[in-house]
């Protein structure tokens, strides 16, 4: 069985400890002999396995996610696994099994989504690493299934596959010199921010529902739905507006703290990330926005501060 390790996983391994690359190499050999040694991650086609860091010098406990295919294995995710992470107790396993059952209606389609999100995000982060190191350094590490399960419990809804896998890869953007790395200089929200904004928006809708009781049906106002998950903010330090993912339809929409009417965005999370990657890799063909650099940070033209325009250098590829 062939085992492949993605370049970004190797980079993360080098950052986690001097012994981690060797531990990862040992694990790859074990997976070649026993491809099914991992356990379900909650995402179709992805298994996770833990590595006991005590076995290796200068190596923390590790959580590794991999895609199992008939003739190959691809290691996609790597993170330090805190010893307090409850992912191995019975309750957490039950939650993961529940997600497996929820998402098993079309496992083939879900597996394709996993690959598409991972590939698009790898293209974006690969570009950032080589061209905008400040923006690359501002991306947070991914989280484990237990943290995502906690968000699901907080919001009371299942996190869609595409957002689940994105959070496994990265759990937010702190902003390179204040700019987010997504078009419009928007930023992927941290999990804490997601939960906080969701609660505020749901409270706003509860207020509107109280008023809607006395309004004619055609005048009732909807500012938020329970299936809307905020995922992208206007900026790393600005959560006045952004994009939500509708867990029911799979499409993105625009939201605003000022209760402006929500707009559907004719993008899924997959197509949104793929277009961002396309614009970085082929800026001459970009239509929605234009990427550029200020120092070591990616800055998109559409939302540049006028005071910084003279420092902005367009990216031409």
């Amino acid at each position: 069985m062939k085992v492949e390790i993605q370049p970004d996983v190797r980079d993360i391994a080098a950052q986690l400890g001097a012994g981690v690359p060797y531990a990862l190499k040992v694990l790859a050999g074990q997976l070649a002999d026993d491809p099914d040694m991992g356990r379900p991650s909650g995402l179709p086609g992805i298994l996770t396995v833990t590595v006991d860091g005590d076995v290796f010098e200068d190596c923390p406990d590790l959580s590794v996610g991999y895609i199992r295919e008939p003739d190959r294995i691809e290691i996609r995710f790597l993170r330090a696994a805190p010893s307090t992470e409850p992912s191995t107790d019975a309750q957490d396993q039950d939650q993961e099994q529940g997600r497996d059952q929820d998402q098993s209606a079309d496992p083939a389609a879900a597996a394709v989504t996993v690959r598409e999100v991972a590939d698009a995000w790898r293209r974006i982060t690969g570009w950032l690493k080589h061209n905008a190191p400040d923006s690359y350094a501002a991306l947070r590490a991914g989280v484990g299934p237990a943290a995502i399960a906690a968000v699901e419990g907080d919001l009371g809804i299942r996190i869609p596959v595409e957002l689940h896998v994105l959070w496994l890869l990265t759990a937010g953007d702190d902003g390179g010199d204040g700019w987010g790395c997504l078009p419009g200089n928007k930023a992927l929200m941290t999990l804490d921010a997601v939960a906080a904004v969701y609660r505020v928006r749901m409270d706003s809708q509860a207020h509107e529902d109280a008023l809607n009781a006395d309004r004619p049906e055609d005048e009732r106002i909807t500012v938020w739905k329970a299936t809307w998950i905020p995922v992208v903010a206007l900026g790393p330090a600005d959560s006045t507006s952004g994009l939500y993912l509708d867990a029911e339809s799979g499409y993105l929409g625009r939201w605003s703290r000022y209760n402006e009417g929500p707009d559907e965005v004719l993008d899924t999370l997959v197509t949104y990330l793929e277009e961002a990657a396309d614009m970085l890799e082929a800026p001459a063909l970009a239509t929605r926005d234009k990427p550029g650099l200020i120092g070591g940070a990616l800055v998109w033209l559409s939302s540049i501060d006028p005071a910084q325009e003279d420092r902005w250098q367009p990216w031409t590829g």
Side-chain angles (χ1 to χ4, degrees):
M1 175 71 70
K2 182 180 181 181
V3 179
E4 300 176 3
I5 303 175
Q6 289 299 314
D8 56 328
V9 173
R10 295 185 186 276
D11 292 342
I12 293 171
Q15 297 169 12
L16 290 177
V20 176
Y22 176 69
L24 194 61
K25 181 179 179 180
V26 171
L27 176 63
Q30 294 172 335
L31 288 172
D33 294 333
D34 184 6
D36 297 314
M37 65 183 292
R39 61 186 179 85
S41 67
L43 292 172
I46 291 187
L47 300 173
T48 59
V49 62
T50 56
V51 175
D52 184 356
D54 291 338
V55 176
F56 305 93
E57 185 177 355
D58 193 12
C59 179
D61 291 341
L62 302 172
S63 176
V64 182
Y66 65 95
I67 293 176
R68 165 78 158 90
E69 296 184 348
D71 58 348
R72 63 189 281 272
I73 284 175
E74 188 172 301
I75 295 179
R76 287 274 187 168
F77 318 119
L78 172 67
R79 65 187 57 83
S83 58
T84 56
E85 183 175 345
S87 60
T88 56
D89 57 38
Q91 182 177 359
D92 188 66
Q93 290 182 13
D94 288 344
Q95 290 174 333
E96 290 180 2
Q97 290 170 0
R99 286 195 296 274
D100 285 341
Q101 293 170 359
D102 289 341
Q103 298 172 5
S104 62
D106 192 351
V112 169
T113 298
V114 169
R115 180 180 292 279
E116 289 174 337
V117 171
D119 287 346
W121 189 246
R122 187 176 68 230
R123 290 169 60 200
I124 292 171
T125 55
W127 188 95
L128 294 175
K129 181 180 179 182
H130 290 99
N131 302 293
D134 292 351
S135 297
Y136 180 77
L139 296 174
R140 294 193 177 193
V143 295
I148 298 174
V151 176
E152 288 183 322
D154 198 356
L155 274 57
I157 58 175
R158 183 179 63 81
I159 302 300
V161 170
E162 57 269 38
L163 185 54
H164 191 131
V165 71
L166 181 59
W167 284 346
L168 288 173
L169 292 165
T170 184
D173 180 1
D174 291 325
D177 293 338
W179 292 289
C181 71
L182 296 174
N185 299 316
K186 293 181 174 64
L188 185 69
M189 298 168 67
T190 66
L191 271 60
D192 286 343
V194 168
V197 168
Y198 184 87
R199 287 192 292 267
V200 169
R201 304 307 300 148
M202 287 294 288
D203 287 345
S204 294
Q205 185 59 50
H207 174 72
E208 291 296 337
D209 287 342
L211 298 176
N212 284 340
D214 297 323
R215 291 168 175 160
E217 186 172 351
D218 61 349
E219 295 181 9
R220 292 173 183 172
I221 296 174
T222 297
V223 298
W224 198 256
K225 293 183 180 180
T227 58
W228 293 355
I229 305 171
V231 292
V232 174
L234 183 62
D238 189 342
S239 293
T240 57
S241 63
L243 299 176
Y244 64 79
L245 175 64
D246 187 342
E248 186 173 40
S249 71
Y251 285 98
L252 297 172
R254 294 187 181 91
W255 59 270
S256 169
R257 180 185 296 174
Y258 305 108
N259 290 346
E260 300 165 356
D263 295 324
E264 185 178 60
V265 177
L266 297 180
D267 277 319
T268 64
L269 186 59
V270 169
T271 58
Y272 177 75
L273 294 174
E274 287 178 338
E275 184 173 19
D278 289 343
M279 288 190 287
L280 292 173
E281 294 175 348
L285 302 178
T287 56
R288 292 194 190 184
D289 211 340
K290 298 291 184 181
L293 298 170
I294 294 181
L298 166 64
V299 181
W300 295 86
L301 179 61
S302 66
S303 299
I304 191 173
D305 183 342
Q308 302 282 349
E309 285 185 5
D310 60 337
R311 298 179 55 211
W312 186 76
Q313 298 294 321
W315 175 254
T316 57

